[in-house]
Amino acid sequence: MNAIPPEPLATAPAVRQSPMRLALRRFLRHRLAVAGLVIVVLFVLGAALAPLIATADPNATSWSAIRREPSATYFFGTDENGRDVFSRVIWGARASLAAGFLSVAVALFIGVPIGLLAGLAGGWVDALISRIADAMLSVPFLILAIALAAFLGPALENAMIAIAISASPVFVRLSRGMALEANATDWVEAARALGNPPWRLGLLHVLPNIIPPLLVQATLSIAEAIIAEASLSFLGLGQQPPAPSWGSMLNSAQRFLTQAPWLAIFPGLAIFLVVLAFNLVGDGLRDALDPRSEKR
Amino acid sequence: MMLALEDVARRFGTVRAVDGVTLSVAQGQVLAVVGESGCGKSTLGRLALRLIEPDRGRIRFAGEDLGKLSPRALRARRRDMQLIFQDPFGSLDPRMTVEQAVAEPLILHNIVPRAKVRERVAEMLTRVGLRPELATRWPHEFSGGQRQRIAIARALASGPKLVIGDEPVSALDVSVQAQVVNLLQDLIRDLGLTFILISHDLGVVRHIADRVAVMYLGRIVEEGTTAAIFTAPRHPYTRALLAAVPGQGGGAPPLEGDVPSPSNPPPGCHFHTRCPFAEAICRVESPALEGGVACHLADRLPPAVAMAEAEPGGARLARLQEFFKDGARA
């Protein structure tokens, strides 16, 4: 066999560049997204370390300190039962973040395999799955979550299940579309020509390639899920009293909007901040993971 | 016969991409399928590997009817038949390193024990002229020629008997084309591969093919040894195709008009609308492929002017090949 001249090494960059590492570098250049990530991390830390950070028992009532204004003792004031609002906001982050992360994780777990199946199997399987997803998407997200939560009964776990189910059709549709797109590429045909069975094609070839858009959508869905949890709790369908949740705090605050606005301001601000932060992270991820910018 | 197609046909909607093709390749042979783009040659390649299902006809691979295999048995068979794609930027999974890509067929078909996979990948990379140290890199870090070498290493890793190259060099720079043609030629010879080259580059075809099949609108119009096709083409379309090679000129009248739509091919001989020799029978009756040519008038046509031995494409390619061989020795 003729000796083939080895290709010069010079054409390849010196540092190994995985697609993920390149994306990370682009993400870190995105200042707002990094700010969003910092806020998310702070909230997560706050929720995880709630017992250490909270200045008081979030459920301890005090008849001597009812609806106190924010002060050095009560950073965010106290509520109508004399409970420390700061501590309740910190503990309430647990309900909100748990609802955000867990329900979206479950939604991914339900939606992605079903979507991949629809996209790769095609035919009547695809038609059936797509019609069901369309039917679910035709009902507004929050309305569907409220209906499911009401059906399951008022509890934080049930609210999370309801949110997970309502959020899953988005992932079905997204992963189906991406699977269809991937299916038309040469590299999927090549994988098939190599003798890959369908499950390997879906899990080892298509799935890794659709993770970027799924990650972006998941981040945005977490923001939606947090709003949904707050809304369900506001309606009494989520976190049950006396356990703290931003949504239920807003509910009890509405009666005192003029006398004690801090009851609404701080949990509202918490929801606003965390939702904004997740949206910023999602936008940053989208820019960082966009395949069109991959070559840069 | 390594591969034998019998009356294979496939439509996409109204388009008759492949319209009744009978063709065979003997073991160790290099068969080129040539024709203009859209004539169905890529579809034919995929039908031959049963990557697309035929509407009718039979495909025998090493004596076995591929159409009768269960999906599982067909997947297992894929270790013996592989495909090299035209576009090296599209055929590699962007989220797999070179090592993962080349290792995949080894793992899928249990070619070597897991512990030896890495070693075997390094061997394959060396074989196609890439440094084994590059195994941990991602496809986007390579040039087109390097990627095509990776794709070739992947296609050959499982030790296939039959390899189909779907325009394997036409997406590459001309200088790189010569290197990859050299590489393919070496591999075909050293590994005793049966190879089907789908191409429109007659220079490359003449260089490496033993036999040539000419396709027009989904049908084979002429088939024969490379020498016969290039020196004594019999079908008017083959003559026109050879005459169309730049700098060739004069050998046959140039083609007039466009290729008719494959969704509404002309009746009779598909080629009669552009054929300078067409007679009444050509418009009515479709000629069968007999004695290597599908033309009613094959015996009565004036003798063709042979394609010059040193046609420009071949000469250019030969020079480049020489250049790179010298480079290797230096």
Side-chain angles (χ1 to χ4, degrees):
Chain A
M1 164 173 183
N2 286 319
I4 293 144
E7 297 271 312
L9 201 61
T11 51
V15 186
R16 281 180 46 195
Q17 293 182 309
S18 82
M20 274 299 162
R21 192 180 297 199
L22 286 174
L24 181 68
R25 216 165 53 196
R26 279 196 298 270
F27 181 82
L28 291 177
R29 275 203 298 261
H30 205 299
R31 262 191 236 154
L32 275 175
V34 173
L37 187 64
V38 168
I39 296 175
V40 168
V41 168
L42 284 179
F43 268 98
V44 169
L45 282 178
L49 305 176
L52 299 177
I53 296 173
T55 48
D57 179 345
N59 294 331
T61 54
S62 163
W63 301 115
S64 59
I66 286 178
R67 293 203 310 258
R68 288 280 172 85
E69 284 183 17
S71 65
T73 333
Y74 308 109
F75 297 149
F76 292 175
T78 63
D79 70 3
E80 73 278 13
N81 292 320
R83 295 175 296 197
D84 180 36
V85 174
F86 175 71
S87 303
R88 287 180 71 72
V89 167
I90 296 291
W91 280 90
R94 287 195 166 187
S96 287
L97 292 176
F101 282 112
L102 286 179
S103 55
V104 169
V106 173
L108 277 167
F109 201 74
I110 301 172
V112 174
I114 295 179
L116 283 178
L117 178 71
L120 293 175
W124 65 268
V125 178
D126 180 26
L128 182 71
I129 292 173
S130 297
R131 290 302 82 74
I132 294 174
D134 285 348
M136 287 177 76
L137 282 168
S138 69
V139 182
F141 174 68
L142 206 51
I143 305 288
L144 185 61
I146 290 170
L148 283 168
F151 171 73
L152 292 167
L156 183 60
E157 297 74 38
N158 289 343
M160 277 157 55
I161 294 170
I163 294 167
I165 294 173
S166 316
S168 54
V170 172
F171 293 107
V172 171
R173 190 183 260 187
L174 181 66
S175 38
R176 171 188 174 267
M178 300 298 297
L180 279 179
E181 208 175 285
N183 217 3
T185 62
D186 274 357
W187 52 264
V188 165
E189 195 180 18
R192 202 169 272 142
L194 288 173
N196 272 288
W199 67 267
R200 230 171 164 272
L201 206 63
L203 293 184
L204 267 60
H205 288 276
V206 177
L207 186 58
N209 278 281
I210 68 170
I211 280 177
L214 284 176
L215 206 60
V216 172
Q217 180 59 47
T219 316
L220 302 175
S221 284
I222 288 175
E224 274 185 41
I226 288 173
I227 293 181
E229 187 277 334
S231 308
L232 290 176
S233 295
F234 182 85
L235 296 172
L237 289 167
Q239 182 80 298
Q240 293 304 298
S245 143
W246 298 339
S248 54
M249 288 167 76
L250 281 180
N251 184 19
S252 46
Q254 61 180 332
R255 282 173 287 150
F256 307 103
L257 266 185
T258 46
Q259 304 101 303
W262 57 88
L263 290 185
I265 286 172
F266 293 106
L269 204 59
I271 295 172
F272 169 76
L273 264 181
V274 85
V275 168
L276 177 71
F278 272 110
N279 277 306
L280 289 176
V281 172
D283 285 348
L285 280 177
R286 174 156 41 212
D287 291 348
L289 297 170
D290 189 339
R292 272 166 302 179
S293 57
E294 191 97 62
K295 295 242 163 61
R296 269 187 277 148
Chain B
M1 284 294 146
M2 180 57 76
L3 182 77
L5 309 182
E6 284 167 43
D7 193 31
V8 172
R10 171 70 199 231
R11 288 170 169 247
F12 296 106
T14 58
V15 176
R16 293 185 203 171
V18 172
D19 193 12
V21 166
T22 300
L23 195 63
S24 59
V25 204
Q27 166 156 14
Q29 217 172 43
V30 179
L31 170 77
V33 178
V34 302
E36 289 163 287
S37 50
C39 72
K41 53 193 196 296
S42 288
T43 306
L44 185 67
R46 280 156 177 77
L47 284 168
L49 297 179
R50 214 183 138 198
L51 282 170
I52 325 179
E53 298 291 331
D55 294 335
R56 65 157 205 268
R58 199 180 332 179
I59 301 145
R60 289 177 170 281
F61 176 70
E64 190 176 31
D65 188 343
L66 283 188
K68 293 218 170 86
L69 292 181
S70 67
R72 175 184 291 266
L74 180 64
R75 285 200 298 271
R77 215 82 190 86
R78 297 210 176 280
R79 72 176 282 179
D80 294 329
M81 46 188 202
Q82 279 298 320
L83 182 62
I84 298 167
F85 290 76
Q86 171 172 13
D87 176 15
F89 287 90
S91 67
L92 297 172
D93 187 331
R95 305 258 162 203
M96 273 194 167
T97 62
V98 173
E99 178 155 37
Q100 288 169 329
V102 178
E104 189 163 42
L106 300 174
I107 293 164
L108 277 171
H109 301 292
N110 277 316
I111 307 288
V112 291
R114 288 274 172 149
K116 297 245 168 153
V117 165
R118 183 162 293 207
E119 200 178 305
R120 184 66 194 268
V121 169
E123 243 174 73
M124 291 310 301
L125 290 179
T126 314
R127 184 104 223 209
V128 298
L130 289 172
R131 296 192 185 187
E133 303 93 270
L134 300 177
T136 53
R137 291 173 192 267
W138 271 267
H140 70 101
E141 299 176 72
F142 292 92
S143 68
Q146 289 172 319
R147 281 165 171 245
Q148 198 62 308
R149 287 170 191 265
I150 297 164
I152 292 170
R154 178 180 63 177
L156 297 180
S158 63
K161 298 181 183 122
L162 170 72
V163 177
I164 297 185
D166 184 4
E167 304 266 14
V169 299
S170 53
L172 307 176
D173 290 345
V174 179
S175 61
V176 180
Q177 274 187 13
Q179 295 177 36
V180 175
V181 167
N182 266 344
L183 172 66
L184 283 175
Q185 236 178 342
D186 290 341
L187 291 167
I188 290 167
R189 190 186 58 227
D190 296 348
L191 303 174
L193 296 177
T194 307
F195 198 86
I196 298 179
L197 174 71
I198 295 167
S199 180
H200 62 255
D201 186 333
L202 296 174
V204 173
V205 166
R206 186 171 205 177
H207 200 78
I208 68 176
D210 301 317
R211 295 184 73 80
V212 178
V214 183
M215 250 184 122
Y216 186 76
L217 281 180
R219 292 181 183 166
I220 303 285
V221 296
E222 186 167 2
E223 203 254 326
T225 64
T226 306
I229 296 281
F230 279 87
T231 55
R234 298 172 67 201
H235 197 281
Y237 177 64
T238 313
R239 296 179 182 195
L241 208 58
L242 294 177
V245 172
Q248 190 64 21
L255 280 183
E256 282 171 16
D258 292 324
V259 185
S261 159
S263 60
N264 186 21
C269 174
H270 283 176
F271 188 59
H272 83 255
T273 52
R274 300 167 81 193
C275 181
F277 308 105
E279 292 179 4
I281 186 174
C282 304
R283 296 180 190 95
V284 187
E285 201 177 311
S286 176
L289 185 65
E290 276 166 13
V293 60
C295 178
H296 294 298
L297 315 171
D299 298 331
R300 292 191 276 130
L301 293 179
V305 178
M307 188 175 180
E309 186 63 44
E311 54 84 21
R316 190 190 59 206
L317 190 67
R319 271 204 308 279
L320 281 163
Q321 285 191 311
E322 273 315 305
F323 174 77
F324 284 107
K325 275 175 191 160
D326 289 346
R329 266 182 239 123

